[in-house]
Amino acid sequence: RICLEAGLPPGLVSVLPGSGSEIGEALVRHPDVRRVSFTGGTATGRHIAAIAAQKLMPVSLELGGKSPTIVFDDADLDHA
């Protein structure tokens, strides 16, 4: 409801409740999923990469970092 009120097209955002390992595993293995982008732990990234390799599916992985952020030119760099 919030996404629709914000003007996002229906179906653009999906919320899948459940554990990351259970839901994530199902998504990565699903035959209709053709690409995965993941930000998180290295062990999970390796697992996703192994599944993707079996499917010959491209992945984008940002691994090992904590709380990625974007800092704009006008930001207080000490605070950021």
Side-chain angles (χ1 to χ4, degrees):
R1 181 182 55 81
I2 292 170
C3 292
L4 291 174
E5 289 175 9
L8 295 175
L12 181 68
V13 175
S14 296
V15 177
L16 304 170
S19 71
S21 60
E22 182 181 355
I23 300 300
E25 179 96 12
L27 282 172
V28 174
R29 289 190 181 281
H30 196 282
D32 289 341
V33 172
R34 298 185 323 222
R35 182 179 187 94
V36 169
S37 176
F38 173 77
T39 299
T42 304
T44 302
R46 284 188 177 124
H47 185 66
I48 289 170
I51 295 168
Q54 293 172 4
K55 293 174 60 176
L56 297 176
M57 174 180 68
V59 294
S60 298
L61 303 171
E62 173 67 34
L63 304 177
K66 294 285 240 169
S67 304
T69 58
I70 297 172
V71 179
F72 292 100
D73 291 336
D74 63 345
D76 177 346
L77 294 180
D78 291 331
H79 181 73

